[in-house]
Amino acid sequence: MNSITDVPGIRVGQAQHEEGMTGVTVILVPEGAVAGVDVRGAAPGTRETDLLNPANLVEKVNAIALCGGSAFGLAAAQGVVNYLQERGYGFETPFGKVPIVPAAVIYDLGLGEHDAYPDPLMGYLACSVADKTVMEGNFGAGAGASIGKVLGNDSAMKSGEGTASTTLNLVLPNGPSYSYTVGALAVTNAFGDVYDGDRIIAGACRHSDGEFLNTMQMFRDGLVPLAPSNGNTTLGVVATDAPLTKAQACRLAMMAQDGLARAIQPVHTMFDGDVVFALSTGGLPPTAETNPLLLTLLGSLAADVLCKAIQRSVTEARPAGGLPAARHKN
């Protein structure tokens, strides 16, 4: 399906407020997946990411929630927790199971209804429709996403959500062979422009004629924006069925961040809160270490599919909120 749900054990649920232009995307792994995270943006909004530090206790999460609504949208994660608790999923404690749901948000308050936020009910609803199909473009947390905001909304273009996957087949000399899936999902709400190679495919543009402004060229020419948008952030989740430790999942997330750098320029700015999560549904490796070459290949492919997911998040978006989209620039 060329989707993150090609990874065994992954389901995705999406819910959105179309008029409010905000929403929630839940990557659901009820039985638990080893998780890591890498935060590169300077303005992140997150929940329970400290738990994913390899030095800390809990090994697995039950879901990842990606939300619109800036800090207000973190409330949607409680609905995910409620959904999992009702079904008996979570980290075992002496007084019951506690669902582990890290979350991150994008700032989408500048589009749609600025006081429409994802809430616990929206998070719960996203879980209730989770399956193997991922709707790309203006769905879930991508409902209010936009890019190319060097001149604020006057230059912005509508973006959204995208997904991609690939398969790794590796035969080591005089060693074992491996076959694993690597998938990615992205919610692209970036300050910068989105590229395919050296070509801008979506980003800051003149709404009158759809011509791209080229944010990086503006910077090279010394054209400093008067009022850049501080409401940005690209969120990514990469997943694999290869067994990984928490430390290795964090390394996978770190390598996957290269996908943002390939697809978005500029990226990881002071106006972005870029966060990438990594999930392993294959559990913990039978020994303390996964083969370093295998982890290198997994991380390289994770960056590749996350780049593709970002590109799809803009090519599948539809015009909305007065913003053009890559499909219909003019």
Side-chain angles (χ1 to χ4, degrees):
M1 296 175 66
N2 195 29
S3 166
I4 191 172
T5 57
D6 291 333
V7 176
I10 299 283
R11 290 185 290 144
V12 171
Q14 297 159 291
Q16 58 277 329
H17 184 321
E18 292 193 12
E19 293 77 18
M21 294 186 66
T22 194
V24 177
T25 298
V26 178
I27 295 83
L28 204 59
V29 282
E31 300 289 349
V34 177
V37 68
D38 186 63
V39 180
R40 293 283 172 92
T46 57
R47 174 188 190 271
E48 292 213 289
T49 49
D50 281 352
L51 193 67
L52 305 184
N53 185 316
N56 294 335
L57 176 64
V58 177
E59 292 283 352
K60 296 184 177 183
V61 304
N62 303 105
I64 301 289
L66 309 179
C67 315
S70 190
F72 301 107
L74 289 172
Q78 183 58 49
V80 182
V81 170
N82 296 344
Y83 177 91
L84 291 162
Q85 181 189 35
E86 289 176 5
R87 287 154 181 79
Y89 295 111
F91 178 72
E92 192 76 61
T93 78
F95 300 99
K97 292 183 177 180
V98 179
I100 306 300
V101 183
V105 298
I106 66 168
Y107 184 101
D108 56 7
L109 306 185
L111 292 179
E113 300 171 8
H114 70 274
D115 56 353
Y117 318 125
D119 58 12
L121 176 59
M122 189 180 287
Y124 191 99
L125 289 174
C127 293
S128 68
V129 298
D131 60 15
K132 303 295 279 186
T133 300
V134 179
M135 302 296 291
E136 297 180 287
N138 305 27
F139 293 92
S146 57
I147 58 169
K149 288 168 277 188
V150 66
L151 301 180
N153 280 348
D154 290 341
S155 68
M157 180 175 283
K158 188 70 184 74
S159 57
E161 193 159 292
T163 189
S165 69
T166 191
T167 301
L168 168 64
N169 294 300
L170 173 64
V171 179
L172 295 177
N174 303 315
S177 61
Y178 302 97
S179 181
Y180 296 119
T181 302
V182 181
L185 182 145
V187 179
T188 309
N189 190 56
F191 172 80
D193 305 325
V194 174
Y195 285 71
D196 183 352
D198 295 329
R199 180 174 62 94
I200 297 175
I201 58 174
C205 69
R206 290 201 295 257
H207 290 186
S208 59
D209 59 12
E211 181 181 349
F212 291 124
L213 299 176
N214 193 327
T215 302
M216 288 302 299
Q217 190 60 52
M218 290 177 66
F219 287 0
R220 294 185 192 101
D221 294 341
L223 300 176
V224 179
L226 297 178
S229 169
N230 61 357
N232 307 289
T233 290
T234 296
L235 305 177
V237 179
V238 295
T240 181
D241 53 344
L244 300 175
T245 64
K246 276 176 71 175
Q248 292 161 347
C250 286
R251 174 57 60 180
L252 186 68
M254 291 172 65
M255 293 184 71
Q257 285 273 14
D258 289 348
L260 272 70
R262 292 175 198 166
I264 303 169
Q265 295 184 43
V267 72
H268 304 144
T269 75
M270 294 300 295
F271 309 113
D272 290 278
D274 304 325
V275 180
V276 174
F277 296 95
L279 297 172
S280 164
T281 62
L284 294 165
T287 61
E289 295 293 333
T290 288
N291 185 291
L293 177 59
L294 174 60
L295 185 57
T296 297
L297 269 61
L298 289 170
S300 300
L301 292 178
D304 188 46
V305 293
L306 186 53
C307 177
K308 289 181 170 62
I310 291 168
Q311 292 164 347
R312 289 190 61 81
S313 74
V314 299
T315 59
E316 295 300 307
R318 306 184 311 275
L323 301 184
R327 282 183 169 181
H328 308 281
K329 280 203 301 175
N330 299 322

